[in-house]
Amino acid sequence: AEIVVSSNDGLYFFDRSGMVVDRWGGETRGSGVGDFAFPDAFAIDPTTGDFYVADTLNRRVVALDDEGNVLWISGQPDQDGQIVGFWQLPRSVVVGQDGMIYVTDTFRAQSDCAGTGHIVVLDPTGALVGEFAAAGRTENTFSFPEKMAVAPDGSFAIADRENNRVALFTVGPMPPADSLEQSTYEQSFIRIAP
C-alpha cells in the first residue's frame, strides 16, 4: 500500500492507482478490539512500522503492528453517555524524533500543567510518560488544540483552534504524570500482544 487514510470506521490502504488494497477496522463503526469510531488521526513509527491511532469517539489510543494486529489499547468508550476512561477527546497523534508518542487530547483542559495538560506523552509500549500544555488564552497555553505535526528539526506545530493560531514549540524536560492521572490511565490500559 502506498497511501493510508483514516475514515469513520477504520484505516484504508490504497495503491497508487486509487484501489483499496487493505482495510483495518470492523464491518461498521464499533468499540470492540479492532474496531474504530471516527479515528481522527494516526501516526506510523518509522523505526518499527507500528501504527498509533487516535480513536477519537471511542476515547482511546490504539497501537497496531504493521500487519494490523492490536498491540495495546489505552482508554475506553463512554458508558451510559459518560466519559469513564482516561482520554477526553484524543484528536491527533504523532511520533516524535525521540520515539515517544504525543497525543493531543482536545478536551483535557486542566489549568495546571505540572504533569497534566492537553498533550499526553506515551512510550511505544503504551506507558504514560507525562503530560503538558495547560489550558488558557496566554502565550504558553492552548484552547481546543487539535492537529499536531513534527518538523524535521524535532519541533512541533499544533493547531490551537480557539486561540486562532498555530503554535510552534519544542519539548524540554517534562514532569512525570500526576499520580492520580497515572492511576486513571492504568485503569483503562489493556495490553493485547506481548
Side-chain angles (χ1 to χ4, degrees):
E2 300 283 333
I3 302 165
V4 184
V5 176
S6 63
S7 184
N8 67 359
D9 59 356
L11 301 181
Y12 289 78
F13 296 76
F14 296 85
D15 63 18
R16 287 207 175 262
S17 69
M19 298 297 296
V20 175
V21 295
D22 200 2
R23 179 180 172 279
W24 296 351
E27 293 297 315
T28 61
R29 289 187 308 271
S31 59
V33 173
D35 293 338
F36 296 101
F38 290 94
D40 272 349
F42 66 90
I44 303 169
D45 186 322
T47 60
T48 64
D50 290 346
F51 282 67
Y52 303 102
V53 181
D55 189 12
T56 303
L57 291 189
N58 278 327
R59 299 191 198 277
R60 63 189 183 188
V61 175
V62 179
L64 305 104
D65 67 16
D66 60 358
E67 295 182 3
N69 300 303
V70 177
L71 301 172
W72 51 259
I73 298 171
S74 167
Q76 62 191 66
D78 294 351
Q79 293 177 4
D80 299 322
Q82 299 295 314
I83 297 173
V84 294
F86 174 82
W87 300 98
Q88 304 293 304
L89 194 69
R91 296 289 308 274
S92 183
V93 59
V94 298
V95 177
Q97 286 191 338
D98 57 3
M100 296 295 163
I101 303 147
Y102 293 79
V103 182
T104 305
D105 195 353
T106 300
F107 289 173
R108 184 170 293 281
Q110 291 102 334
S111 58
D112 173 15
C113 67
T116 62
H118 282 294
I119 299 174
V120 179
V121 183
L122 310 175
D123 76 12
T125 70
L128 178 62
V129 174
E131 300 178 69
F132 64 95
R137 299 283 188 171
T138 61
E139 181 177 326
N140 294 318
T141 61
F142 298 136
S143 181
F144 212 93
E146 294 189 301
K147 301 302 180 199
M148 186 168 32
V150 181
D153 69 358
S155 62
F156 295 83
I158 193 165
D160 189 16
R161 188 171 108 182
E162 292 300 312
N163 283 328
N164 297 309
R165 64 187 176 195
V166 172
L168 304 176
F169 63 94
T170 57
V171 176
M174 178 181 336
D178 174 89
S179 60
L180 180 59
E181 293 286 300
Q182 185 76 42
S183 175
T184 303
Y185 181 84
E186 289 171 2
Q187 290 172 17
S188 61
F189 182 83
I190 302 167
R191 185 167 313 286
I192 307 294

